[in-house]
């Protein structure tokens, strides 16, 4: 199915089934069974089931199946009800049995689960910073290597702490050696340039920031992680430890407002300004996307070789459904904002395939 058709999918059963197959293909069979079991709720009488059955929106684009999956996982993580642990661990594999269990859980915890449908999942993932850091290393050969970083959809600010992580990217090491966050994706293709960027400032925005210092908020973030992905759980723990030492700089704001205010501030000479985001653009409303694009175009007119503007993104290609790392550069001279495809990557950072030697 083409990505455009997928994102426009309004059929609730089709959207749930697609999300279940996607989880299976991503190595999360237990999560897939739990998501598929949501189909059994559609004819039931629970408030959660009725809201899912009458979903007002686009099922996959809204990540609706992942919203309820997060709430169900939260029951296990908090100890409220651990019966789904057998499904996640592969001890319960019969789909009919999983259907029955999920229906029982929703009946028992209907009021608790219903609010999980109110907003999209906060899938903040430190593994994505591997691609972003590699992008900065590539940019060091093209622009001043001192970077001012601005993140859209920062969620808990996990990638807004990317300069505090240690990376092994195809054998190239960068970042503090003593960091509790170790980012070592499977690397495909040639290694990125062995240049160490200097991040002089980094901040982000989100319409509903998650406070990593709040144990309940951190648990909610974990709930959206598929339980089969144990490495991702460990990365959240490492991010919490780093946030306890210095809270990431994330403000509550929509993308358009944040970009307007950030780009209006003077840019220091010798510093490259970078707007960046990962797996978030599809969630930004179209009218805000247009404002961000217009603000970037306006700022690009004033970019110079000594104060370049970059748009670095790891997002879904709507034609191929691949997650692509691209960089656009404006420097007032040679670079005019044409997209440079640098890599494709796993959406949670498990692997990166580097595509350029330039």
């Amino acid at each position: 199915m083409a990505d455009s058709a997928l994102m426009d999918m309004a059929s609730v059963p089709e959207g749930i089934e697609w999300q279940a197959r996607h989880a299976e293909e991503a190595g999360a069979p237990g999560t897939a069974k739990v998501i598929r079991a949501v189909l059994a709720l559609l004819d039931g009488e629970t408030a959660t089931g009725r809201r899912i059955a009458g979903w007002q929106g686009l099922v996959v684009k809204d990540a609706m199946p992942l919203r309820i999956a997060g709430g169900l996982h939260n029951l296990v993580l908090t100890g409220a009800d651990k019966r789904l642990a057998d499904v996640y661990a592969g001890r319960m594999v019969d789909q009919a049995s999983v259907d029955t269990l999920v229906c029982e859980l929703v009946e028992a915890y209907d009021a608790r689960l219903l609010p999980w449908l109110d907003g999209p999942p906060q899938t903040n993932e430190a593994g994505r910073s591997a691609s972003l850091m590699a992008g900065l290393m590539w940019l060091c050969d093209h622009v001043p290597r001192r970077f001012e970083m601005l993140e859209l959809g920062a969620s808990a600010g996990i990638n807004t702490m990317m300069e505090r992580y240690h990376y092994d990217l195809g054998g190239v090491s960068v970042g503090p050696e003593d960091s509790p966050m170790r980012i070592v994706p499977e690397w495909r293709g040639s290694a990125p340039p062995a240049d160490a960027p200097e991040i002089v400032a980094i901040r982000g925005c989100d319409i509903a920031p998650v406070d990593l210092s709040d144990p309940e908020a951190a648990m909610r973030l974990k709930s959206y992680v598929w339980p089969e992905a144990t490495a991702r759980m460990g990365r959240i723990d490492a991010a919490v430890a780093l946030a306890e030492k210095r809270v990431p700089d994330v403000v509550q704001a929509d993308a358009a407002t944040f970009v307007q205010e950030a780009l209006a501030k003077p840019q220091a000479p010798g510093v490259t300004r970078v707007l960046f985001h990962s797996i978030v653009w599809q969630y930004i409303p179209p009218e805000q996307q247009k404002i961000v694009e217009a603000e970037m175009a306006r700022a690009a007119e004033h970019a110079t070789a000594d104060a370049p503007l970059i748009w670095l993104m790891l997002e879904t290609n709507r034609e191929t459904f691949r997650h692509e790392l691209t960089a656009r550069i404006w420097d007032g001279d040679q670079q005019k904002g044409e997209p440079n495809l640098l890599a494709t990557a796993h959406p949670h950072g498990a692997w990166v395939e580097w595509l350029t030697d330039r």
Side-chain angles (χ1 to χ4, degrees):
M1 178 181 293
D3 187 44
S4 56
L6 174 64
M7 289 302 170
D8 292 339
M9 184 183 291
S11 167
V12 171
E14 289 181 9
I16 292 171
E17 178 57 33
W18 180 89
Q19 189 64 73
R21 289 199 308 270
H22 181 69
E24 285 172 337
E25 292 166 2
T31 295
K33 292 183 184 301
V34 171
I35 291 172
R36 191 169 281 117
V38 173
L39 291 168
L41 301 174
L42 301 184
D43 295 326
E45 296 301 320
T46 62
T48 300
R50 289 197 303 271
R51 185 170 175 189
I52 291 171
W55 189 255
Q56 300 297 307
L58 302 176
V59 180
V60 176
K61 184 174 183 179
D62 294 344
M64 180 271 283
L66 297 181
R67 301 184 188 198
I68 187 61
L72 290 165
H73 186 202
N74 184 261
L75 295 176
V76 177
L77 289 178
T78 59
D81 196 308
K82 295 186 176 183
R83 283 179 286 172
L84 278 177
D86 286 337
V87 182
Y88 298 135
R91 294 186 292 268
M92 180 187 290
V93 297
D94 176 63
Q95 186 64 56
S97 299
V98 179
D99 292 353
T100 299
L101 176 55
V102 167
C103 287
E104 290 176 358
L105 289 169
V106 174
E107 288 175 5
Y109 299 97
D110 200 10
R112 172 174 173 154
L113 291 169
L114 185 62
W116 284 82
L117 294 168
D118 290 345
Q122 297 274 23
T123 54
N124 212 195
E125 174 49 60
R128 294 171 184 157
S129 65
S131 296
L132 298 167
M133 178 57 71
L136 293 183
M137 295 161 73
W138 178 85
L139 284 165
C140 286
D141 286 342
H142 300 268
V143 294
R145 64 183 58 209
R146 304 181 71 236
F147 295 98
E148 173 200 356
M149 307 288 292
L150 305 165
E151 183 180 18
L152 302 183
S155 185
I158 286 180
N159 287 314
T160 313
M161 297 191 291
M162 62 183 292
E163 86 284 8
R164 302 189 232 172
Y165 305 161
H166 181 79
Y167 306 83
D168 181 338
L169 307 177
V172 177
S173 295
V174 65
E177 286 285 351
D178 61 349
S179 175
M181 183 74 81
R182 318 295 288 187
I183 306 292
V184 189
E186 176 192 337
W187 198 266
R188 305 172 183 175
S190 59
D195 291 312
E198 179 186 355
I199 296 177
V200 298
I202 184 166
R203 56 197 178 94
C205 74
D206 198 274
I207 55 173
V210 177
D211 181 2
L212 280 178
S213 66
D214 178 354
E216 184 176 342
M219 182 64 75
R220 185 179 182 88
L221 201 63
K222 277 189 171 183
S223 299
Y224 290 119
V225 176
W226 295 344
E228 294 90 340
T230 55
R232 293 184 66 199
M233 291 289 193
R235 287 196 289 268
I236 291 180
D237 289 336
V240 168
L242 286 167
E244 288 174 349
K245 295 180 179 179
R246 188 171 82 249
V247 178
D249 187 357
V250 179
V251 298
Q252 184 172 7
D254 61 50
T257 301
F258 179 75
V259 170
Q260 287 173 324
E261 293 178 353
L263 296 185
K265 295 180 180 179
Q267 184 173 346
V271 172
T272 299
R273 177 171 280 173
V274 181
L275 180 71
F276 76 102
H277 47 85
S278 57
I279 324 297
V280 73
W281 190 249
Q282 71 189 52
Y283 300 118
I284 297 175
E287 62 274 14
Q288 289 196 36
Q289 291 181 357
K290 292 178 181 177
I291 293 172
V292 172
E293 289 167 346
E295 291 296 323
M296 288 293 284
R298 188 174 296 112
E301 295 176 358
H302 304 286
T304 66
D306 196 39
L309 178 67
I310 308 294
W311 197 340
L312 182 66
M313 64 186 80
L314 177 65
E315 295 291 350
T316 306
N317 181 317
R318 289 182 66 106
E319 299 300 323
T320 65
F321 205 54
R322 296 191 309 170
H323 300 92
E324 298 179 344
L325 177 70
T326 59
R328 300 175 65 187
I329 307 172
W330 293 270
D331 64 4
D333 185 19
Q334 299 296 318
Q335 304 284 351
K336 304 295 184 182
E338 291 300 317
N340 296 277
L341 177 60
L342 305 181
T344 58
H346 184 276
H348 301 146
W351 55 264
V352 177
E353 182 171 1
W354 195 248
L355 301 176
T356 181
D357 291 322
R358 293 182 293 116

